[in-house]
Amino acid sequence: MAQGEGAFCPVYAALNLLQEKWTLHIVRALLEGPKGFNELSRAIGGVNPATLSQRLDHLVRLGVVEKTVESYMPPRTRYRLTPSGEELEAVIQAVEGWARKHLKAPVP
């Protein structure tokens, strides 16, 4: 279903957010607990630092992720999911359940 002009469709808006590359990977990694930027980058693997920074900033603006600066010399930043972000665990579990049921693991 497409979003008509002027009409807000929550499913359309949510899918636009969740389809952004690395967004669900970030949420999935943060479900394990708060992480620093480099720790998060390693947990996700393969993400460009500029892209990770951009996605994190967007998720912070949306209230899905909270950013905390713990020290200033050098700056140490920690990211954690907000309660809103934690609710995405059900989405990730639903995707995992579907994938386990319908997708086969690649043959090495």
Side-chain angles (χ1 to χ4, degrees):
M1 176 188 308
Q3 184 176 9
E5 284 188 42
F8 174 74
C9 175
V11 173
Y12 184 88
L15 289 175
N16 272 345
L17 168 66
L18 298 177
Q19 77 176 350
E20 290 179 357
K21 191 168 184 178
W22 304 110
T23 296
L24 284 175
H25 295 283
I26 292 167
V27 171
R28 185 170 170 232
L30 290 176
L31 282 168
E32 299 170 2
K35 292 185 177 15
F37 186 88
N38 291 332
E39 183 182 11
L40 185 55
S41 180
R42 284 189 300 274
I44 295 169
V47 62
N48 176 297
T51 301
L52 178 57
S53 180
Q54 179 187 39
R55 292 296 182 270
L56 285 167
D57 287 346
H58 188 213
L59 291 170
V60 167
R61 282 192 309 275
L62 292 173
V64 174
V65 171
E66 180 179 275
K67 175 181 177 178
T68 306
V69 178
E70 294 182 342
S71 64
Y72 296 96
M73 290 304 222
R76 180 175 167 93
T77 306
R78 303 282 290 167
Y79 296 91
R80 72 170 189 84
L81 292 175
T82 63
S84 167
E86 290 172 350
E87 288 184 29
L88 288 171
E89 183 172 13
V91 173
I92 291 171
Q93 287 177 345
V95 170
E96 178 186 17
W98 181 89
R100 287 186 184 280
K101 183 175 180 181
H102 299 288
L103 300 178
K104 295 181 181 187
V107 178

